[in-house]
């Protein structure tokens, strides 16, 4: 199987998943009173772990562009006002994949499963920190508030991303996570 | 053959996809249908006639949209009533989609079959019992529970999918093209399993199929659905004797009926009501023996 | 109406907002539209001229009317966003003064200060968003997905010479968009099959967070895994049809620029360039002074 073609297709498929989760709002998991945790960045992380940083970059780019378009054409809240700015929506997202991949490679020498967890957390935090960071630099939000959001929203989101990333890749690569058989 | 009471009662059911928009597509236009307990109903019809939509009403995946759209009453529960517990409906009426092996999602076979019982909130011991029962019903050895789902053969996967639905211990089994895409041996086995399941009291079954032999073998009555309406219904023999009408809508008839029809035309005596292969064989043997005399 | 759990996954957003009315905007080459779109976003985000932005807003409004695409939805959405816009503008108005050396105070009440710069800042915020919103909406009403994909591929092609993987990137975008309907179908099938076995995804209900996560996992994981399987099958299918990469590939449909496309491009660049220069040369202040002296 042609490696390059495989990377292209995986990038495309993961990009499609990201768009799909965003467009149907299935990727918005309601958290507490109004706020939600999002998982649209998880396909970016998975793509990066499976196929490398360039795939992560491409998928992150698609994620970013789509979040801009969605903010412009179908906005639903104040966040969309900020996301029409590509520096908020596209630039930070380019880093999700490469960072996740780096962490994956680093932890992989230790063990596989923690590597997936690490990649999930790192990728998610990259998204949170960079996006909020840009919002702060633009002075769209006061830093105090940004800190609160980062902790209250960003940390659980990182955990969720780690769990989802690990579950998907372990299932795909047929890696045993716990037991060697059914739990029945 | 009909038992006590009505299992599913569909009255003047209407349905459209994307109602009220520019893309509205009507799919059911006033369907009346009744399934009694201990009865097996076959539903046949050309593609796009609304069969899938109708089936999805039976376990409440789709509900009648409101007044004027009709009623669906399942085991005494009216689906237009917003207060009913859908979980109960889904447990009592189990719907198995086409190519169910594509929907196996758990890593291990046992976990996938246990999905239903677990959703019902049963205890670990009860879940295990249910899985064992279901696997036994479909002819999968219990040891398969630790196999990786991916590694099963097509036929085994389909049986696992069926087990996943039987483990809920439903009262009505609704099947969409149950024998599509499997080899004759697999089909044979599946029909046996279905027959075995039906033999217990109080159970009903609904089959949608393009394989008329399946309908002939299992169904007591048949509904013919065309363009969202019931064109014809009656006992299996009655419906399949309307050859011209069925042919007009591109529907076939069971081979047994085809052959005996031909023989009747040629002047041979065939008793009425022959739809199944075994029956046809018997009639033909009767003719051959008659000739010898 | 009886409560319905709706398992049809409908894509509520998308470049499928295309309305076929064959206006001037519909017929412009998609490459021009993409270039102008990108420039527009860049300028809107960085432009500092209220007048310039206002003018562009007005022009896009006219464009929406001219192209007869029944842009009512776009305006309604903009209206819905107004409260948020005003709210955020207010935040801008009240926080900006802190960062200015010589605030031109217009009004003050305790710690709330309203300055001229603050007002400008707030208004810019509203205009920036509105311009991008209406602009992209106009774009989506007048361009089909296919046109868009062709436009992207053709635009990126010259970059191939600079060793930028243009063809590959265009292909990735293509696959992404084409994959979405497949995903929708898969998701719907999975949801229906699981719901038929008693699964409850907790959509539209108040539910503890961990519980909801657990409910959604049996949906997400198979969705991802099956998508990966699809991906591998697609690779095999492409290879089976002798796909060997972008080198030397030709296209069945080739975009050809016509005179109107060049005109549109030039006009677009002029207008956007105007916005940028207006900001750079502080045209706003200039016009304001003229206005004041006149009066």
């Amino acid at each position: 199987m042609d490696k390059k073609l495989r990377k292209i297709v995986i990038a495309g498929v993961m990009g499609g998943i990201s768009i799909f989760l965003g467009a149907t709002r299935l990727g918005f998991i309601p958290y507490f009173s109004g706020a939600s945790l999002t998982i649209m960045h998880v396909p970016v992380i998975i793509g990066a772990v499976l196929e490398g940083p360039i795939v992560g970059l491409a998928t992150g780019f698609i994620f970013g562009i789509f979040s801009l378009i969605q903010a412009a054409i179908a906005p639903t809240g104040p966040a969309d006002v900020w996301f029409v700015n590509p520096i908020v929506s596209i630039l930070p997202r380019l880093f999700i994949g490469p960072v996740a991949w780096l962490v994956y490679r680093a932890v992989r020498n230790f063990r596989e499963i923690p590597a997936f967890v690490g990649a999930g957390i790192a990728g998610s935090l990259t998204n949170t920190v960079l996006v909020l960071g840009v919002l702060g630099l633009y002075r769209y939000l006061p830093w105090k508030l940004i800190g609160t959001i980062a902790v209250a929203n960003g940390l659980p989101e990182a955990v969720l991303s780690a769990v989802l990333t690990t579950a998907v890749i372990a299932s795909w690569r047929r890696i045993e996570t716990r037991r060697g058989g059914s739990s029945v | 053959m009909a038992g006590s009471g009505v299992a599913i009662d569909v009255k003047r059911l209407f349905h459209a996809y994307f109602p009220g928009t520019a893309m509205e597509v009507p799919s059911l236009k006033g369907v009346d249908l009744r399934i009694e307990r201990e009865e097996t109903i076959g539903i046949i019809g050309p593609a796009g006639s609304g069969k899938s939509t109708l089936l999805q009403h039976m376990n409440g995946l789709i509900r009648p949209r409101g007044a004027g759209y009709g009623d669906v009453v399942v085991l005494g529960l009216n689906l237009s009533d917003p207060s009913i517990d859908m979980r109960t409906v889904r447990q009592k009426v189990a719907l198995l989609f086409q190519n169910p092996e594509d929907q196996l999602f758990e890593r291990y076979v046992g976990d996938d079959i246990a999905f239903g019982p677990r959703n019902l909130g049963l205890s670990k011991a009860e879940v295990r019992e249910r899985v064992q029962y279901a696997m036994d019903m479909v002819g999968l050895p219990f040891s398969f529970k630790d196999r990786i789902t991916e590694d099963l053969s097509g036929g085994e996967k389909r049986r696992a999918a069926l087990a996943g639905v039987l483990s809920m211990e439903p009262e009505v089994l609704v099947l969409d093209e149950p024998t599509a895409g499997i080899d004759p041996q697999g089909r044979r086995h599946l029909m046996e399993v279905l027959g075995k399941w039906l033999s217990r009291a109080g159970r009903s079954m609904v089959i949608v199929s393009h394989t008329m032999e399946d309908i002939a073998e299992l169904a007591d009555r048949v509904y013919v659905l065309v363009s969202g309406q019931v064109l014809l219904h009656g006992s299996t023999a009655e419906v399949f004797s309307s050859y011209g009408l069925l042919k007009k809508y591109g529907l076939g008839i069971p081979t047994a009926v085809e052959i005996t029809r031909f023989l009747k035309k040629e002047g041979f005596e065939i008793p009425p009501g022959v739809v199944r292969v075994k029956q046809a064989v018997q009639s033909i043997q009767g003719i051959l023996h008659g000739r010898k005399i | 109406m009886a409560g319905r759990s709706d398992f049809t996954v409908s894509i509520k957003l998308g470049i499928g907002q295309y309305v076929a009315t064959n206006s001037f905007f519909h017929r412009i080459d998609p490459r021009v539209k993409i270039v102008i779109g990108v420039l527009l976003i860049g300028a809107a985000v960085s432009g500092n001229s209220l007048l310039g932005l206002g003018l562009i807003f007005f022009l896009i409004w006219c464009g929406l009317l001219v192209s007869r695409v029944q842009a009512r939805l776009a305006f309604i959405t903009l209206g819905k966003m107004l409260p948020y816009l005003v709210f955020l503008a207010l935040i801008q108005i009240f926080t900006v003064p802190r960062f200015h050396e010589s605030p031109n105070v217009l009004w003050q009440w305790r710690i709330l200060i309203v300055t001229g710069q603050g007002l400008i800042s707030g208004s810019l915020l509203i205009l920036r968003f509105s311009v991008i919103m209406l602009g992209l909406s106009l774009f989506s009403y007048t361009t089909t997905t296919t046109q868009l994909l062709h436009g992207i591929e053709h635009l990126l092609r010259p970059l191939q010479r600079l060793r930028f993987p243009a063809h590959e990137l265009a292909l990735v975008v293509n696959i992404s968009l084409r994959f979405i309907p497949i995903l929708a179908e898969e998701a719907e099938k999975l949801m229906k099959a699981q719901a038929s076995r008693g699964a409850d995804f907790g959509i539209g209900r108040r539910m503890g967070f961990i519980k909801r996560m657990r409910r959604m996992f049996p949906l997400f994981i198979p969705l991802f895994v099956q998508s990966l399987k699809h991906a591998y099958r697609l690779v095999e299918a492409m290879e089976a049809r002798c796909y060997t990469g972008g080198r030397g590939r030709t296209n069945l449909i080739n975009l050809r620029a016509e005179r109107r496309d060049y005109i549109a491009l030039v006009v677009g660049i002029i207008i956007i360039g105007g916005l940028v220069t207006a900001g750079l040369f502080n045209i706003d202040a200039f016009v304001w002074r003229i206005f004041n002296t006149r009066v």
Side-chain angles (χ1 to χ4, degrees):
Chain A
M1 176 167 291
D2 183 354
K3 249 204 220 164
K4 190 161 179 222
L5 184 57
R6 197 181 66 210
K7 287 187 202 251
I8 294 177
V9 173
I10 299 266
V13 166
M14 287 297 129
I17 296 182
S18 182
I19 297 180
F20 172 74
L21 289 175
T24 58
R25 309 213 82 93
L26 275 175
F28 290 84
I29 304 188
Y31 194 40
F32 288 127
S33 54
S36 4
L37 302 186
T38 65
I39 54 171
M40 279 92 76
H41 54 288
V42 175
V44 179
I45 299 174
I46 294 179
V49 168
L50 287 178
E51 295 290 343
I54 308 204
V55 169
L57 187 67
T59 316
F61 181 61
I62 293 182
F63 170 33
I65 296 231
F66 179 74
S67 66
L68 191 158
I69 294 182
Q70 186 176 32
I73 299 186
T76 48
D80 293 316
V81 175
W82 303 319
F83 276 77
V84 295
N85 184 342
I87 305 208
V88 177
S89 47
I90 303 183
L91 190 61
R93 271 68 187 273
L94 298 175
F95 292 91
I96 301 177
V99 168
W101 178 78
L102 280 171
V103 173
Y104 168 66
R105 287 297 287 254
V107 183
R108 197 174 66 164
N109 299 320
F110 172 50
R111 260 213 313 247
E112 282 269 14
I113 305 272
F116 302 145
V117 173
I121 295 181
S124 185
L125 286 180
T126 309
N127 184 38
T128 307
V129 167
L130 289 184
V131 170
L132 287 177
V134 172
L135 289 180
L137 290 174
Y138 261 101
R139 298 196 197 118
Y140 285 149
L141 282 178
W143 286 106
K144 266 254 172 79
L145 186 56
I146 286 181
T148 319
I149 297 179
V151 172
N153 208 298
L155 289 186
E157 203 170 75
V159 171
L160 179 56
S161 307
V163 175
L164 197 50
T165 306
T166 312
V168 169
I169 302 186
S171 177
W172 173 244
R173 288 240 190 107
R174 318 269 197 104
I175 299 172
E176 304 290 333
T177 40
R178 289 168 280 153
R179 33 170 218 267
S182 157
S183 61
V184 160
Chain B
M1 218 160 313
S4 48
V6 178
I8 298 183
D9 198 0
V10 175
K11 287 201 272 256
R12 304 255 332 131
L13 184 61
F14 284 84
H15 180 264
Y17 286 103
F18 307 118
T21 70
M23 298 182 288
E24 177 163 346
V25 175
S27 59
L28 296 176
K29 306 175 195 163
V31 172
D32 286 295
L33 183 141
R34 169 185 267 133
I35 302 158
E36 315 248 347
R37 283 193 185 266
E38 295 186 5
E39 197 181 31
T40 302
I41 299 287
I43 301 180
I44 63 179
S49 51
K51 307 194 293 287
S52 260
T53 314
L54 182 56
L55 286 192
Q56 286 173 46
H57 276 89
M58 292 184 187
N59 78 335
L61 279 183
I62 307 179
R63 288 154 88 168
R65 204 159 159 252
Y69 280 83
D71 280 304
V72 177
V73 181
V74 174
L75 296 168
L77 300 166
N78 189 329
L79 292 188
S80 305
D81 181 356
S83 68
I84 62 173
D85 182 14
M86 287 315 295
R87 284 267 196 89
T88 322
V89 176
R90 306 263 165 82
Q91 180 267 316
K92 292 194 190 282
V93 179
L95 175 49
L96 194 63
F97 286 94
Q98 214 168 337
N99 292 315
E101 55 273 5
D102 291 340
Q103 275 130 31
L104 297 173
F105 64 92
E106 280 278 2
R107 176 70 157 295
Y108 298 105
V109 176
D111 289 326
D112 201 281
I113 300 179
F115 185 65
R118 281 186 184 146
N119 283 330
L120 295 176
L122 302 174
S123 74
K124 210 162 182 219
E126 284 173 316
V127 168
R128 192 186 166 91
E129 252 179 62
R130 294 286 186 101
V131 171
Q132 229 166 341
Y133 160 75
M135 289 179 82
D136 183 57
M137 264 260 127
V138 303
L140 283 175
F142 193 52
S143 61
F144 266 53
K145 72 174 177 72
D146 292 322
R147 294 267 198 105
I148 297 190
T149 323
E150 292 292 303
D151 296 339
L152 261 56
S153 76
E156 288 167 342
K157 278 193 198 172
R158 187 167 292 209
R159 282 191 259 165
L162 180 58
V165 137
L166 292 182
S167 60
M168 310 248 291
E169 290 198 354
E171 291 171 40
V172 183
L173 191 56
V174 180
L175 305 162
D176 194 351
E177 309 275 357
T179 62
I182 54 180
D183 60 287
Q185 195 179 29
R187 176 185 167 270
R188 193 65 273 131
H189 189 104
L190 193 62
M191 302 291 271
E192 277 170 24
V193 170
L194 293 178
K196 197 166 59 163
W197 184 83
L198 269 174
S199 61
R200 274 247 218 126
R203 290 172 172 174
S204 331
M205 191 158 77
V206 181
I207 307 186
V208 164
S209 186
H210 286 295
T211 314
M212 299 305 170
E213 284 73 21
D214 291 349
I215 305 269
E217 194 165 323
L218 291 170
D220 304 310
R221 286 191 298 126
V222 177
Y223 285 82
V224 181
L225 197 66
V226 174
S227 298
Q229 289 178 305
V230 175
L231 182 73
L232 175 65
H233 74 96
S235 77
T236 318
E238 283 167 10
V239 168
F240 283 133
S241 63
S242 311
Y243 183 60
L245 199 57
L246 293 177
K247 189 172 174 206
K248 181 171 165 202
Y249 290 97
L251 299 168
I253 52 176
T255 335
V257 178
E258 190 109 38
I259 290 182
T260 49
R261 237 186 84 93
F262 172 73
L263 289 173
K264 267 193 236 174
K265 260 209 214 150
E266 296 294 309
F268 292 99
E269 214 182 284
I270 307 282
V274 170
V275 289
R276 301 196 190 121
V277 174
K278 265 207 186 122
Q279 296 168 325
V281 166
Q282 281 171 348
S283 330
I284 295 176
Q285 282 178 331
I287 296 175
L288 290 175
H289 286 143
R291 289 226 130 177
K292 279 207 177 125
I293 296 174
Chain C
M1 188 174 314
R4 292 163 30 240
S5 35
D6 195 346
F7 290 101
T8 35
V9 177
S10 48
I11 311 267
K12 290 157 195 164
L13 166 127
I15 317 198
Q17 282 188 322
Y18 179 74
V19 177
T21 48
N22 206 22
S23 71
F24 170 72
F25 287 98
H26 282 76
R27 284 176 271 148
I28 302 180
D29 193 303
R31 287 173 292 181
V32 170
K33 286 194 257 193
I34 294 176
V35 169
I36 301 227
V38 172
L39 288 178
L40 179 69
I41 294 180
V45 159
S46 51
N48 280 317
S49 165
L50 271 181
L51 270 180
L53 274 173
L55 183 63
I56 292 190
F57 178 76
F58 174 70
L59 286 174
I60 297 182
W61 187 301
C62 294
L64 278 168
L65 292 175
V66 159
S67 53
R68 289 169 279 143
V69 291
Q70 264 152 356
R72 215 180 332 152
L73 182 64
F75 290 120
I76 292 178
T77 315
L78 188 57
K80 277 199 210 152
M81 282 300 285
L82 214 49
Y84 297 118
L85 286 173
V86 169
F87 175 63
L88 288 175
L90 283 173
I91 295 184
Q92 282 280 285
I93 293 178
F94 290 124
T95 52
V96 159
R98 298 198 207 142
F99 304 110
H100 262 268
E101 313 87 32
S102 50
N104 152 22
V105 182
L106 297 175
W107 180 80
Q108 187 160 1
W109 183 70
R110 304 219 195 145
I111 51 165
L112 295 177
I113 309 172
V114 177
T115 63
Q117 290 94 333
L119 274 179
I120 293 179
S121 191
S123 317
L124 276 179
L125 185 104
I126 298 183
L127 270 179
R128 286 197 220 281
F129 177 78
S130 311
V131 162
I132 296 182
M133 195 230 148
L134 286 185
L136 285 191
S137 295
L138 175 59
F139 182 88
S140 80
Y141 286 134
T142 58
T143 319
T144 64
T145 319
T146 323
Q147 285 175 335
L148 177 67
L149 290 173
H150 278 301
I152 294 177
E153 224 233 309
H154 280 75
L155 263 183
L156 292 179
R157 241 194 257 159
L159 289 176
Q160 195 87 39
R161 290 191 219 142
L162 298 168
R163 297 191 60 217
F164 178 80
H167 164 78
E168 283 74 14
L169 184 59
L171 191 55
V172 170
V173 176
N174 200 328
I175 294 178
S176 290
L177 290 179
R178 302 272 186 227
F179 194 60
I180 296 173
I182 301 178
L183 267 173
E185 203 182 305
E186 293 268 323
E188 191 177 324
K189 277 199 216 162
L190 268 171
M191 286 174 81
K192 286 189 180 170
Q194 291 185 1
S196 301
R197 295 162 70 186
D200 164 11
F201 304 106
I203 295 180
R205 276 216 277 129
R206 337 189 92 248
M207 181 178 279
F209 175 65
I210 303 229
K211 238 188 172 191
R212 162 164 275 145
M213 266 219 305
R214 266 218 255 137
R215 296 284 168 86
M216 304 211 85
F217 262 49
L219 178 63
F220 287 138
I221 298 176
L223 197 62
F224 273 94
V225 173
Q226 293 200 21
S227 303
L228 286 169
K229 286 194 210 162
H230 271 293
Y232 271 61
R233 261 182 267 154
L234 179 58
V235 175
E236 285 171 4
M238 287 172 81
E239 287 182 322
R241 294 190 201 182
C242 301
Y243 175 83
T244 47
R247 193 116 56 94
R249 269 177 84 85
T250 54
N251 276 43
L252 178 64
I253 297 176
N254 277 302
L255 295 176
R256 264 171 305 143
E258 301 182 15
R259 201 157 52 132
R260 71 158 157 259
D261 299 316
Y262 290 116
I263 295 178
L265 183 62
V266 168
V267 168
I269 293 184
I270 291 180
I271 294 179
I272 294 177
L275 163 63
V276 176
T277 32
L280 286 177
F281 291 107
N282 225 333
I283 298 281
D284 281 11
F286 184 64
V287 171
W288 180 253
R289 250 183 290 137
I290 297 186
F291 185 71
N292 271 339
T293 46
R294 279 274 199 89
V295 168

